[in-house]
Amino acid sequence: MKPASGPVDLRCGGHPMVAIGTEVPAGLTLDPAFSAGTPLGKRFADGETGVELLCTKGGAGSLSIGEVILSQKDAKPLPSSD
């Protein structure tokens, strides 16, 4: 995982993320534009901010920086063992 080059507006399902141990605001609903889901164990990255995340709790909401959905990072191919 890599830190961002500066502050970012990290969101999930269209809403700002909250720190662990912080109460989640009541009444939030999943924004349909950010409902593609986030699979457990996958990495996501944003080239503009440099942020790279590992999903440790999957769900129905998509991760985004502001209005830009983060793309899933592909696994690096292993070297050939010929």
Side-chain angles (χ1 to χ4, degrees):
M1 290 171 283
K2 297 178 185 175
S5 56
V8 295
D9 178 18
L10 182 60
R11 300 179 188 189
C12 184
H15 301 285
M17 298 285 282
V18 296
I20 293 174
T22 303
E23 191 171 327
V24 177
L28 296 178
T29 58
L30 184 62
D31 183 332
F34 298 93
S35 63
T38 302
L40 176 67
K42 299 298 180 182
R43 293 183 185 276
F44 295 83
D46 179 57
E48 187 176 319
T49 61
V51 70
E52 186 176 310
L53 305 167
L54 172 65
C55 178
T56 60
K57 185 176 181 182
S62 299
L63 294 172
S64 67
I65 302 289
E67 298 290 320
V68 179
I69 294 176
L70 295 179
S71 59
Q72 188 172 318
K73 195 170 180 185
D74 294 326
K76 292 181 183 176
L78 295 174
S80 175
S81 61
D82 291 348

